[in-house]
Each structure stands twice: as C-alpha cells, then as structure tokens.
Amino acid sequence: MKALVQDLQLKGLQRRMNKIQTPVAAVVVMACNRADYLERTIKSILKYQNAVASKFPLFVSQDGSDPQVRKKALSYDQLTHMQHLDSKLVQTERPGELIAYYKIAHDMEIAPDFFDYFEAAAALMEKDKTIMAVSSWNDNGQKQFVHDPEILYRSDFFPGLGWMLTKPTWNELSPKWPKAYWDDWLRLQENHKGRQFIRPEVCRTYNFGEHVDWKSKDLSYLMEDKYIKLFAEILKNAKPINGADAVLKASNVQGDVRVHYEDQPDFERIARQFGVFQEWKDGVPRTAYKGVVVFRYPPPRRVFLVGPKSFELLGIKSV
C-alpha cells in the first residue's frame, strides 16, 4: 500500500492484528470522494465479513482529503482508515504475514459467498504462479449472458472491480503503482508479463440469491496445464457458424457455438450484435482467453468469439 498515512489508527490496528491467527487477505476498500457509496460498500462487507474478520482484516484506503469520507471511515470500529496524500510507500511491521491483498472499489456490494470464494482462490494462487490476480467481476456478467455460478474462467484481460493478488506480486508492482487508472495499467503486457487472471461467470459482487460452497469445489481444473486442454476441447466441440446474422444463427443451433473473427473491427462488429463488451486493451479483447471471448446467449448455450490465432495458441490443429 503506497502513501503517506495521515490517519492510521495504530492502536486499533494492533488490537485487530493481534487477533489474527490464519490471515488470508487484507481487504482494502479504495475510496476518494463519495462517502455515501463508501458507507454502502462497508455495510455490504461487514454483513458477511464479521464471521471471518480474523482472516480478512478490513481497511479503507482514502485517496485525497475529503472530510466526509474520512469521517465515515472513522465511524466504524471494525476497520482501519488510511489517508493517502502522496506516493511514499508505507512500511508497517505486524505480527504474521498476509498471503494476499484484496481490493474493492468504494461503490461495490458483495455476494454472500464472497469471502469463501477468495479463500478458495488464494489456495489456487499459491499453487499456480501464472495467475496474477483473481477477480470477483465479469464484464459480460449481465443476467442475459450468464448461467452457472460455479464456473470460473482464466482470462488474459484483467477484470478489475474487486480483485486479489498475492503479497509477492504486490511487492513487485507497488513501487511503480500509478496514481490513477491502475486497472488499465494492469492490463498492459509490460506489467502483467503474460500472467493471467481468474474471473467468475456470475459476478460475486451482488446478492444473486445462491450461495456456492467454494471450499468444497475442486478448482484444480483452473491450473494452467489442465485448463488450456479443457478449454480447447470445449471449443473444438462447439458448432461453427459463419456469415452475417450471427445472433440469429446462434439462436437456432442446439448446443455451444463458435464465431470466428478476423481482427479487432470484425470482433467489434460481432460483439455489438450480441451486446457484449467490444473494448480491447493492448491487443486483448475484454474477458478474452487466448483471443476467445465466451458468454451465454441465450443461456445455457455458450457462444465463443474466436480470434484468428486462437486455435494455434490453444494447440488445436484440426477440427
């Protein structure tokens, strides 16, 4: 965490840290100038965090000097408030070491299984160093594009909006962390260096009415060596559709389908037809894995938008 800390409640911090036995991640809510949004987010977190507070100590990291944000953060005894006024890296000594840092935007709310999800994901990250971060967000996570809350995907595009990375990765990135637009900064190849991200099919950032027991799930299929083979096999079995009217054709086919695009303008044209995100960053479409963007349309059918090099990157020789 970088910044000069003006308001660090050292007494309360020490008291909370002394209680921590098996920490998983520090939960950091990043705030700026919206005290009402911050309050909504804190209440959402505390609703599910109290039972696991020893594993997920809560912090509010305030950029700037908005007095209402500061007042709101300090009104909660369950968290530690930090105010960032410059880019100096804070060094703090504390008992025990946190495995990861988890960051939340100040206008988010969380799902009931939010902390279970990240605790399970932390174990996965410890095993697979090719995973740079785990996110609770899916950019194409609108109701009309999702189906299964238990499905997770690898992605080459940093999802943002509620994410966790390991302490070694934070130590690597923090000295050069930007003051703004850090989500786009993390999407640059020069910063993620080819490492990938985990995202859910159904966002874990709202109460979707179904609790997933993540601790009982075997997430080993997300390990790099297993996942690329699994994803390639699913993609190979999808039925190809070509030509215009991709939406109409996809709707009339039983089972999963794949639509091939030639370049970024072609992808944008097809994505626009379906209504999913068209944005690219540093040559990667939003949510893509090996150039492939997957979503449901209509659920439960999966639609794969496949790039010109995707088959080669996935090791698919023939279909």
Side-chain angles (χ1 to χ4, degrees):
M1 292 171 256
K2 63 180 185 178
L4 175 64
V5 177
Q6 183 186 56
D7 277 291
L8 182 58
Q9 298 169 292
L10 291 174
K11 199 170 181 181
L13 172 62
Q14 188 64 54
R15 183 172 63 252
R16 280 188 289 279
M17 295 307 297
N18 285 340
K19 294 179 181 179
I20 295 177
Q21 301 297 322
T22 55
V24 174
V27 180
V28 183
V29 179
M30 295 176 288
C32 183
N33 58 4
R34 293 298 301 269
D36 52 343
Y37 281 13
L38 176 62
E39 180 177 33
R40 187 177 71 184
T41 298
I42 291 174
K43 286 182 176 179
S44 174
I45 292 171
L46 292 178
K47 184 177 180 180
Y48 304 111
Q49 186 255 3
N50 284 337
V52 292
S54 65
K55 296 180 180 180
F56 296 91
L58 178 59
F59 301 79
V60 169
S61 174
Q62 180 184 352
D63 289 323
S65 57
D66 187 288
Q68 294 305 312
V69 169
R70 177 178 179 274
K71 181 179 179 181
K72 181 60 62 179
L74 291 175
S75 70
Y76 290 90
D77 293 333
Q78 303 97 318
L79 58 82
T80 297
H81 171 254
M82 298 173 294
Q83 192 165 16
H84 296 196
L85 299 179
D86 65 24
S87 58
K88 182 179 179 181
L89 182 64
V90 176
Q91 300 290 342
T92 57
E93 295 294 329
R94 58 189 64 179
E97 288 210 343
L98 298 175
I99 295 173
Y101 295 105
Y102 178 73
K103 297 205 172 188
I104 303 176
H106 71 187
D107 56 353
M108 274 179 49
E109 296 184 42
I110 66 173
D113 59 3
F114 181 85
F115 291 107
D116 285 347
Y117 170 69
F118 279 101
E119 186 168 359
L124 178 68
M125 295 177 76
E126 285 298 300
K127 297 175 183 177
D128 188 344
K129 304 305 181 183
T130 69
I131 300 172
M132 185 175 196
V134 175
S135 175
S136 59
W137 182 253
N138 174 13
D139 286 301
N140 292 323
Q142 296 88 347
K143 187 177 181 179
Q144 66 269 30
F145 300 129
V146 300
H147 174 69
D148 191 342
E150 298 184 6
I151 294 294
L152 305 179
Y153 294 90
R154 291 182 75 109
S155 175
D156 297 306
F157 191 100
F158 174 61
L161 287 179
W163 45 274
M164 178 175 70
L165 46 74
T166 63
K167 185 174 182 179
T169 301
W170 172 248
N171 289 340
E172 169 198 337
L173 297 174
S174 59
K176 54 184 179 179
W177 197 262
K179 292 184 177 181
Y181 307 111
W182 43 262
D183 46 355
D184 279 342
W185 179 80
L186 273 175
R187 290 166 183 150
L188 297 176
Q189 167 70 27
E190 64 186 81
N191 296 316
H192 64 72
K193 298 177 181 176
R195 288 169 290 186
Q196 295 175 332
F197 310 94
I198 301 296
R199 66 167 181 86
E201 178 168 315
V202 178
C203 296
R204 322 318 292 178
T205 51
Y206 54 84
N207 190 344
F208 54 88
E210 182 176 346
H211 186 284
V212 176
D213 182 9
W214 291 105
K215 294 178 183 178
S216 69
K217 301 300 178 185
D218 181 4
L219 302 184
S220 63
Y221 71 92
L222 290 163
M223 299 286 286
E224 184 181 34
D225 57 340
K226 292 184 179 180
Y227 188 81
I228 191 169
K229 295 175 183 177
L230 174 65
F231 191 85
E233 191 63 28
I234 295 172
L235 182 60
K236 282 171 59 177
N237 291 330
K239 299 176 182 177
I241 57 176
N242 302 297
D245 299 322
V247 174
L248 179 61
K249 291 179 179 178
S251 300
N252 291 324
V253 174
Q254 294 296 319
D256 297 340
V257 300
R258 64 175 190 266
V259 184
H260 292 255
Y261 63 89
E262 296 180 358
D263 49 28
Q264 183 172 346
D266 195 33
F267 172 86
E268 292 172 353
R269 176 186 63 81
I270 298 170
R272 188 162 48 247
Q273 291 180 26
F274 284 98
V276 296
F277 264 99
Q278 305 167 40
E279 180 190 357
W280 286 40
K281 188 69 176 181
D282 206 13
V284 180
R286 192 176 281 266
T287 79
Y289 172 70
K290 306 296 185 184
V292 180
V293 171
V294 57
F295 54 93
R296 309 274 183 165
Y297 191 94
R301 177 189 295 109
R302 281 176 294 200
V303 175
F304 298 89
L305 305 187
V306 184
K309 296 183 179 179
S310 295
F311 276 18
E312 178 184 348
L313 293 172
L314 289 165
I316 301 174
K317 299 184 189 293
S318 62
V319 179

